[in-house]
Amino acid sequence: MPTLQAVRGMNDVLPDEAGLWLEFEARVHGWLGRYGYRNIRTPLVEHSQLFRRAIGEATDIVEKEMYSWRDELNEEELTLRPEGTASCVRAAIEHSLLHDGPKRLWYAGPMYRHERPQKGRYRQFHQYGVEAMGFPGPDVDAEHIAMCAALWRELGLANIRLELNNIGSPEERARYRADLVRHLEKHQDRLDADAKRRMHTNPLRTLDSKNPMVQEVVASAPSLAGYLGEDSRAHFDGLKRLLAECKIDYSINPRLVRGLDYYNLTVFEWISPDLGAQGTVCGGGRYDGLFAQLGGKPAPATGFAMGNERLIALLSDAGRKPAPPLPHAYVVYQGEGTLECAFAVSEELRSRGLSVLMHAGGGGFKAQMKRADSSGAQYALIIGEDELKAGEVSVKPLRADRPQTRVRRDRVAAAFEES
Ligand code: HAM
């Protein structure tokens, strides 16, 4: 029978790597707390309609990347979440989360997109997402960007640059879109099949085409910036003032439109040149229309999400590998009745906050001591029939040149605390 393997594009995180994940997660949790964000947890599975309406029918995600199926029992179309913003807004509407004011929320977990797997691009990947709901001003857009900058600093990741764009209001984009389509139609002969298709479904996505010929056509197209009204420009100016205040560098990328349709005004991406083609470690922006689009009371909102695999790859490439935590003690036992004693001593020490590995799997004294040594523990606690009779435990330092001692069983924890 062929051996079973993980599904393509879905990865195991093995114990040697998981230490870095845990350290990353602990730092992110501290950082989120410092900015006053509160955790929200939504299901991995939602009605497909949620993503179709939120992300947009003519996006890559909805057109070809969703893991969707029909639940025959309940006659429902369901989808494994490809991102977290839609679920967050759905939950905020469903539970009237904004009834007593705006909310700052974060979520974490796996997302699913049926993309072509390659380094940095997976079919199951993990995000931290941050959403600020009910805030209309550019101050919260700036807060999010400043938050990201602070996290990269804290993680010691210096080489991540910020790209920013203002994509205006839906009305401004509609006017621009009409002129852009006219321009694209005029140059149809130089468009590839994808751009030709996009021209009518989602023409703004042709702006970030990677094909040099399409890029040339786009370069001579009218610019979205020329279609922005006073309010849109004022919002963006407000954001830029705050970024200047906290000395955050950025470049304006007029072709940055993002791959999800719910954005307006501010959009941004953080990109690392050290990750090759999949260099975007974080992306987000404002989505003031999404509450109403999903049937809720209109509410302004803005947010971003970062890709854990990509950030952790940067940390790993920088040689950041936390040492695995070592146990304080390894408990070795041999002889009639010693197992029960070893069990009780181990539990007692753990209840006092010490980390204790108890030998398991049998074997003689010598073999057990070998395991104690390779466990990295500071001490071996030895319980033989002698110790059992005397109500004592032998304590053998494994990492220091000190003699073995005998300690009364009820004094072992205290002896550790004193050492
Ligand atoms: P997104 O740009 O689709 O935005 O994803 C955010 C981040 O998730 C990306 O910058 C990337 O680091 C990571 N990512 C995306 N797809 C993959 C993949 N296939 N493999 C590995 N990493 C990936 C969103 O998801 C929006 N919900 C962000 C947002 C929140 N906007 C407003 N609020």
Side-chain angles (χ1 to χ4, degrees), residues 61 83-85 107 113 115 120-122 125 127 130-131 258 260 262-263 280-285 287 303-307 309-310:
I61 297 179
E83 62 105 48
T85 309
Y107 52 86
R113 296 183 193 175
E115 300 194 72
R121 194 208 269 162
Y122 308 106
F125 60 96
Q127 285 184 345
V130 166
E131 314 289 356
R258 309 261 311 128
L260 307 101
Y262 47 60
Y263 293 110
T280 307
V281 292
C282 175
Y287 51 93
F304 64 93
M306 53 191 171
E309 281 80 2
R310 295 182 188 179

Side-chain angles (χ1 to χ4, degrees), residues 17 71 119 143 155 173 204 207 222 234 239 248 264 280 283 292 295 300 356 398 400:
E17 307 157 58
D71 180 331
K119 186 171 180 288
E143 173 175 298
L155 294 171
R173 264 199 320 285
L204 266 70
L207 296 182
L239 167 63
I248 293 174
N264 66 303
T280 307
V356 177
L398 295 173

